[in-house]
Amino acid sequence: MRLLALNMLLCTAIPFSAAAETAKYPTPLPDETIPSVADLPEKWPKSWVLIHDLNFASILDGKLALVDTSSPARPLKGVVRAAQFANELVSPERGEIYTAETFYSRLTRGERTDAITIWDMRTLQPKGEILLPGGKRQLSVTYPNVFQFTNGGKWALVANFTPAQSVTVVDLEGRKLLAEIDLPGCTQIYPSGERGFSSLCADGSVFSVTLDAQGKAAASQTVEKVQDIDAQPLFGTPAMIGRTAWFVSYYGMVQGIDLSGAVAKPLPRAFSVGTADGGAPQWRPGGWQVIAADARGLLYVLMSPNGKEGSHKDGGTEIWVIDPVKQARLSRIPLRGQGLSIGVTREDKPQLIVARTDGVVDVHDAATGAFVRTLGATVGANPIVITAP
């Protein structure tokens, strides 16, 4: 009898529950269209940036996250794959993103293929590629200055390392290779002049190359003693204000190099970002993308109070705002975590974007330094380079 009563109770409970659910949700949800894909606007808003996720846990599967820094709820707008220590460039004029990538036929081994993949900025879909022969492309943790434009954005320059160093010149419009320029003892690419580039060299000099109309080296010149490698080594990624590249050293000295002409021209005097109490042992620049600039011509330097030998990539807890004309520090911006890379948007009211070592991306008001919002750790496992198109 007890079993019969229990069965009757269960039988009556089920329709009652179903009736309650029907009353609660009277209208069924419409069927979802699969796949559901939308095109991006032809002109991206100025609050959008590309954040390179190196993805240390699986480097062969890195990506570029397209992020709306003004949207804390849904910041991720799309993803571009960026395989195996990739580098990226963006050309809003042509509506294209370029990734210099490396692939292996057996995923982690086998035949190697280097290529520049061309992506559509509206669909984030690949639309072509340019093969880079010889297996020479530099494979290193992502630096912005190993893949750069020159010749008004018509050509790209790709850094090679075998370990011999060279630069491949690529015609992006014609989708073809033009030349390879040997670069013994020098590294990084800084576009200089109308059609050329400069590089930092191991002896402290800068080497400038002028290219002819066919992409071959037409002239070159070495500028001696630009940096003291032992006393004030420079971080390889500068902040650009016009055609002047502003570098900061491991010990906090700021050095400008004018790249408007065919030959790099160091500005006459380097100056310090300043000092502050509370360093243990001292305040020094630290991070990956350690310096940025805004449209007002101000510099932002990521600083760590724990500066010591070997701390230059550890990240920092403050950003110091520097006026390079006055050669003076204007303010200090405290961060909510340890920053690794910084960038500034091109908005009318620019935002300062901070990628932290824990994967969190924070947004500050660049003018005041005030914390605005966090995007959380939602856009990538290891955000490392910020590109504001």
Side-chain angles (χ1 to χ4, degrees):
M1 288 297 291
R2 287 183 179 179
L3 183 59
L4 177 61
L6 181 59
N7 285 337
M8 291 178 65
L9 180 62
L10 290 175
C11 289
T12 56
I14 290 172
F16 174 79
S17 175
E21 288 298 311
T22 302
K24 188 176 179 182
Y25 303 109
T27 305
L29 295 174
D31 294 336
E32 293 185 24
T33 302
I34 300 176
S36 179
V37 180
D39 286 353
L40 298 172
E42 186 170 344
K43 188 175 182 180
W44 291 355
K46 292 181 179 180
S47 62
W48 290 15
V49 299
L50 280 171
I51 297 182
H52 192 130
D53 177 14
L54 188 67
N55 195 9
F56 277 104
S58 182
I59 286 177
L60 54 81
D61 190 30
K63 65 177 181 291
L64 307 179
L66 179 59
V67 177
D68 183 356
T69 60
S70 67
S71 175
R74 300 186 65 181
L76 187 62
K77 309 303 293 185
V79 169
V80 170
R81 309 316 301 187
Q84 200 84 286
F85 298 105
N87 309 105
E88 69 272 5
L89 290 171
V90 185
S91 174
E93 297 78 15
R94 283 197 291 273
E96 294 176 341
I97 303 166
Y98 307 97
T99 53
E101 304 179 271
T102 295
F103 309 92
Y104 289 93
S105 59
R106 295 294 183 268
L107 193 64
T108 57
R109 58 186 175 83
E111 184 180 352
R112 171 175 169 169
T113 300
D114 294 345
I116 295 175
T117 306
I118 303 157
W119 305 82
D120 188 287
M121 286 182 66
R122 291 189 64 188
T123 65
L124 301 186
Q125 294 297 310
K127 55 188 288 188
E129 66 178 18
I130 305 168
L131 294 180
L132 304 171
K136 298 179 178 181
R137 189 181 78 85
Q138 178 175 322
L139 300 187
S140 61
V141 178
T142 299
Y143 290 99
N145 292 92
V146 295
F147 186 39
Q148 287 286 304
F149 288 125
T150 192
N151 193 19
K154 298 175 183 177
W155 296 351
L157 304 169
V158 182
N160 302 317
F161 186 83
T162 59
Q165 292 165 294
S166 65
V167 170
T168 297
V169 185
V170 181
D171 181 352
L172 295 173
E173 292 184 335
R175 307 294 201 238
K176 61 183 180 180
L177 304 187
L178 296 179
E180 183 177 348
I181 314 297
D182 289 333
L183 206 64
C186 305
T187 186
Q188 307 277 28
I189 299 167
Y190 310 102
S192 53
E194 179 182 347
R195 194 171 54 214
F197 66 93
S198 297
S199 294
L200 299 179
C201 304
D203 61 359
S205 66
V206 170
F207 184 64
S208 295
V209 178
T210 300
L211 303 173
D212 64 18
Q214 287 71 48
K216 296 179 172 57
S220 63
Q221 185 171 327
T222 296
V223 182
E224 302 286 354
K225 298 181 180 178
V226 174
Q227 64 170 316
D228 187 330
I229 292 292
D230 295 317
Q232 292 290 343
L234 300 176
F235 285 86
T237 300
M240 298 299 300
I241 298 177
R243 296 301 303 275
T244 299
W246 290 97
F247 295 84
V248 66
S249 79
Y250 289 9
Y251 301 99
M253 295 299 291
V254 178
Q255 172 68 63
I257 301 179
D258 181 357
L259 300 174
S260 60
V263 178
K265 182 181 178 182
L267 300 190
R269 190 169 72 88
F271 63 94
S272 172
V273 298
T275 60
D277 294 333
Q282 66 180 142
W283 285 91
R284 289 188 190 178
W288 197 258
Q289 198 172 358
V290 74
I291 188 170
D294 66 16
R296 299 174 295 168
L298 299 181
L299 300 174
Y300 300 80
V301 181
L302 187 58
M303 299 291 295
S304 168
N306 307 122
K308 57 185 183 298
E309 185 67 26
S311 69
H312 56 283
K313 291 181 181 176
D314 289 349
T317 56
E318 288 190 7
I319 293 173
W320 291 7
V321 184
I322 310 297
D323 185 334
V325 175
K326 297 179 180 179
Q327 299 189 348
R329 184 179 68 211
L330 303 183
S331 62
R332 296 165 61 183
I333 301 172
L335 302 180
R336 292 161 61 93
Q338 186 150 320
L340 182 68
S341 294
I342 58 176
V344 180
T345 65
R346 304 298 183 226
E347 298 168 273
D348 295 334
K349 293 182 64 176
Q351 299 184 103
L352 179 60
I353 314 303
V354 181
R356 293 175 10 191
T357 56
D358 58 3
V360 170
V361 176
D362 287 336
V363 180
H364 291 251
D365 184 318
T368 66
F371 173 75
V372 176
R373 66 181 62 87
T374 186
L375 307 182
T378 59
V379 301
N382 306 110
I384 194 167
V385 170
I386 301 165
T387 302

